[in-house]
Amino acid sequence: MPRSIMHVDMDAFFAAIEIRDNPTLRGLPVIIGSDPNLPRGVVSTCSYEARAFGVHSAMPMAQAKKLCPEAIYLRGNMSKYTAVSNELMSIFDEFSPLVEQISIDEAFLDMTGCEHFYSDLKTMGMTIKTRIKNNLHLTASVGIATNKFLAKLASDKDKPDGLTIVNEPISFLDSIPLKKMWGVGKQTYDKLLKLGIKDIPTLRATPIEFLIKVLGKQGYLLHQLSQGLDNQVVEPAEKNKSIGAEETFPIDIDGEAVRKELLILTDKVARRLRKQGFSCRTITLKVRLPDFTTFEKSRTLLEPTSDTDLLYQTVLSLIEFFKGPYRLLGIYLGNFSNALTKSLFADQDNKDKLWQTIDALKEKGLDIKKATILDKESR
Ligand SMILES: [Mg+2]
């Protein structure tokens, strides 16, 4: 059965929110990011007016300043953006039971079977765009296709405020630059160019055996995608499958701020873990770098734990693998046991009780510092 996958992506999300909330910024180049006077600052988001000057996300602030010195530079307000994102996600939930959020401002919606609520796919796309515009006073770009790969490319095709429906996958793909294909990063792109593969039609015409020989499994996948084939399903984040928390920063962070953010995230996931009466063995750290590349690294402990200290020490050992600054940090716990920590250490039972006391105090609104003092005193 052919599927109907919709990808919805907000236009210049952070900048658009700032302009919405301060209309005097409308029509001006607006750049959200680090302090422009900091040497290593980067652009987080910018308005389309700023993009006309060549400014884009992840660009060093110094370069943006050179390209567009007259722009309005703002530091960004992550808690506001997160609140708008939550409203956006609840709109998505009204349209489909299968929603996969892939970042703060975009998601895949599996609309298969829901199409008959609309006279055609265009009406379906316009309905969600209008709903977002009326409720959030922001514009979104929408792509509709038979799979995730094509839907994601389609939402990007006619930004901002776009709506693209892919009826003819092959001719649609032929209009897309090779660089925009999934799995074609800088390294793969250079490799393909050396092989004389400079666009998607050439990739499609290249024998699959040859691609597998030079690129392995990736060669097979790229050949599939070049034909518009992609079987990946829309996967809503399953509750309780893993316990996790992540934070995207309006400005990339580095140094001491990283340790602090990791402690906040560890504390958050550890409390949720204990609240559910679980211990875990696997700790996964997710990092996104300023160039948007995302990595995950996991460590599995010999024994299950629910101890914040131990979880935090593990997280710190994992962050060593990556060089900052970071755009996003996330911590995911998995491999659960049903009981609270059963450790070889004799004092573990007391420690469990201590953490439960701290959690209870925090829930009553006592601040973290006091709880930390209590922690130290109890030892
Ligand atoms: Mg976006």
Side-chain angles (χ1 to χ4, degrees):
M1 188 175 73
R3 297 184 295 156
S4 258
I5 308 296
M6 183 152 74
H7 180 253
V8 185
D9 183 23
M10 301 302 285
D11 303 318
F13 191 50
F14 300 167
I17 293 171
E18 295 301 338
I19 294 165
R20 175 193 75 175
D21 295 348
N22 179 4
T24 62
L25 298 175
R26 198 167 294 282
L28 300 176
V30 175
I31 296 175
I32 318 267
S34 335
D35 181 343
N37 301 313
L38 289 177
R40 291 214 297 165
V42 289
V43 174
S44 166
T45 318
C46 60
S47 67
Y48 285 87
E49 287 80 1
R51 291 177 199 204
F53 289 85
V55 180
H56 57 77
S57 308
M59 173 184 274
M61 261 314 188
Q63 200 183 340
K65 267 241 133 152
K66 248 179 234 163
L67 289 170
C68 193
E70 67 271 42
I72 311 287
Y73 288 86
L74 299 173
R75 297 298 301 278
N77 179 346
M78 205 57 206
S79 54
K80 177 156 85 172
Y81 308 152
T82 307
V84 179
S85 173
N86 291 339
E87 289 180 68
L88 179 67
M89 295 305 148
S90 51
I91 292 176
F92 293 162
D93 288 339
E94 291 170 23
F95 279 78
S96 168
L98 284 175
V99 177
E100 179 181 347
Q101 179 175 0
I102 52 173
S103 78
I104 190 162
D105 75 327
E106 57 181 308
F108 287 109
L109 284 71
D110 191 336
M111 300 297 290
T112 311
C114 301
E115 310 95 326
H116 65 264
F117 293 120
Y118 311 91
S119 50
D120 52 29
L121 294 179
K122 191 178 170 201
T123 309
M124 184 171 87
M126 280 313 296
T127 307
I128 197 161
K129 277 166 64 75
T130 308
R131 180 91 166 79
I132 292 168
K133 199 163 204 169
N134 289 345
N135 279 50
L136 304 179
H137 306 286
L138 296 168
T139 63
S141 292
V142 171
I144 302 173
T146 51
N147 61 49
K148 287 167 85 173
F149 169 63
L150 293 170
K152 172 112 166 94
L153 288 174
S155 72
D156 190 49
K157 182 74 181 164
D158 195 23
K159 266 185 162 291
D161 205 10
L163 170 59
T164 302
I165 295 153
V166 181
N167 292 312
E168 306 276 346
I170 299 296
S171 58
F172 169 75
L173 276 175
D174 289 354
S175 72
I176 304 290
L178 180 60
K179 258 190 184 164
K180 291 217 165 180
M181 260 184 82
W182 281 0
V184 181
K186 169 127 184 45
Q187 259 188 341
T188 307
Y189 183 71
D190 291 345
K191 222 185 254 180
L192 290 170
L193 277 191
K194 271 195 200 125
L195 297 167
I197 301 168
K198 57 183 191 322
D199 53 27
I200 296 180
T202 316
L203 178 65
R204 189 182 308 122
T206 307
I208 189 164
E209 298 78 10
F210 175 75
L211 289 171
I212 292 171
K213 205 172 127 193
V214 291
L215 294 166
K217 192 183 173 203
Q218 195 192 11
Y220 169 79
L221 289 172
L222 286 178
H223 196 259
Q224 290 284 104
L225 293 178
S226 75
Q227 299 173 80
L229 302 174
D230 166 35
N231 289 326
Q232 292 182 75
V233 294
V234 174
E235 249 182 322
E238 244 184 79
K239 292 191 178 92
N240 299 331
K241 186 174 159 192
S242 77
I243 292 175
E246 59 179 57
E247 185 78 36
T248 303
F249 309 105
I251 47 165
D252 300 329
I253 63 163
D254 208 349
E256 198 49 40
V258 175
R259 294 172 69 89
K260 195 179 138 207
E261 288 297 338
L262 289 174
L263 181 58
I264 293 168
L265 287 168
T266 306
D267 181 60
K268 200 188 242 179
V269 293
R271 269 194 282 159
R272 280 170 53 196
L273 181 74
R274 290 190 291 265
K275 197 166 185 180
Q276 297 189 30
F278 287 143
S279 294
C280 74
R281 281 183 59 206
T282 305
I283 297 103
T284 303
L285 174 72
K286 175 176 168 185
V287 303
R288 181 165 298 142
L289 303 179
D291 65 356
F292 284 89
T293 48
T294 306
F295 301 93
E296 283 185 1
K297 189 139 184 84
S298 296
R299 177 151 292 166
T300 298
L301 305 171
L302 288 172
E303 279 188 280
T305 187
S306 62
D307 179 70
T308 302
D309 281 346
L310 182 55
L311 293 170
Y312 183 52
Q313 290 314 318
T314 311
V315 166
L316 289 181
S317 74
L318 291 170
I319 195 78
E320 295 296 321
F321 288 90
F322 307 102
K323 205 174 138 28
Y326 309 97
R327 187 182 180 81
L328 171 151
L329 293 170
I331 297 172
Y332 290 85
L333 308 178
N335 213 339
F336 300 119
S337 309
N338 253 322
L340 283 169
T341 314
K342 288 281 166 279
S343 169
L344 296 173
F345 298 106
D347 67 346
Q348 194 58 53
D349 274 354
N350 289 332
K351 217 168 179 187
D352 287 347
K353 278 191 195 113
L354 176 64
W355 281 119
Q356 281 164 353
T357 310
I358 291 172
D359 291 347
L361 286 171
K362 280 186 185 174
E363 267 169 30
K364 281 186 188 149
L366 201 82
D367 81 19
I368 294 175
K369 273 182 222 140
K370 283 182 197 155
T372 311
I373 292 164
L374 174 74
D375 184 3
K376 279 192 187 129
E377 283 171 354
S378 310
R379 277 178 215 181

